[in-house]
Amino acid sequence: MASNRIGRINEEIQRELSGLLRTVKDPRVADAMLTITHVDTTSDLRYSRIYISALDRTDEKDLMRGLKSASGYLRHELGQKLQLRYTPELQFFADDSIAHGAHILDMLHHVKPANPANADIVLPEDK
């Protein structure tokens, strides 16, 4: 029963933080295209791990430093929007799952058929 509540809180934190990230004035964060891929909050609501994926991965370290410096502001704003006794401390982590998925999808598109007799088969999505 408690895990269902934590799941709902994770979804709410993800939804609210997505909107709040646009209000951060730090240029390291404001100029980046960010996606919150996953939120994991501890059962006592003290810590929340926020997994971030950035479109441009060249300045990822600066982005993480910018998010760390803005975490106090984000926590304060999040506390005003959520009705929780404790607002969790936000910890940001880089997530490369989107880039990894795109790489696997690219590899699948370039797979050659194992049987040469099937080389002339055209899939509906390739038309």
Side-chain angles (χ1 to χ4, degrees), residues 6-7 9-15 17 36-41 47-51 88 90:
I6 295 296
I9 289 172
N10 288 339
E11 290 173 4
E12 189 67 23
I13 289 173
Q14 183 174 357
R15 182 175 24 257
L17 273 180
I36 299 176
T37 57
H38 183 68
V39 175
D40 189 25
T41 306
Y47 299 97
S48 186
R49 296 173 69 121
I50 315 297
Y51 295 94
L90 305 177

Side-chain angles (χ1 to χ4, degrees), residues 65-108:
R65 282 191 217 115
L67 285 171
K68 185 175 181 180
S69 70
S71 66
Y73 164 75
L74 291 171
R75 183 180 183 193
H76 173 73
E77 293 296 317
L78 190 66
Q80 290 184 349
K81 295 192 182 281
L82 298 179
Q83 299 298 323
L84 296 173
R85 180 174 294 209
Y86 301 110
T87 304
E89 181 179 331
L90 305 177
Q91 301 170 335
F92 293 97
F93 296 94
D95 186 13
D96 63 346
S97 63
I98 292 176
H100 183 68
H103 174 69
I104 289 176
L105 188 63
D106 185 49
M107 288 176 29
L108 288 174

Side-chain angles (χ1 to χ4, degrees), residues 15-79:
R15 182 175 24 257
E16 293 296 335
L17 273 180
S18 294
L20 287 173
L21 283 176
R22 291 185 222 121
T23 65
V24 175
K25 295 180 181 176
D26 190 335
R28 297 174 290 190
V29 178
D31 297 340
M33 295 288 291
L34 300 176
T35 302
I36 299 176
T37 57
H38 183 68
V39 175
D40 189 25
T41 306
T42 59
S43 59
D44 62 354
L45 299 178
R46 296 293 184 181
Y47 299 97
S48 186
R49 296 173 69 121
I50 315 297
Y51 295 94
I52 300 284
S53 179
L55 186 62
D56 184 20
R57 298 183 55 86
T58 57
D59 55 352
E60 188 173 304
K61 289 188 179 189
D62 284 338
L63 173 65
M64 289 299 140
R65 282 191 217 115
L67 285 171
K68 185 175 181 180
S69 70
S71 66
Y73 164 75
L74 291 171
R75 183 180 183 193
H76 173 73
E77 293 296 317
L78 190 66

Side-chain angles (χ1 to χ4, degrees), residues 110-115:
H110 293 94
V111 171
K112 295 186 170 120
N115 186 355

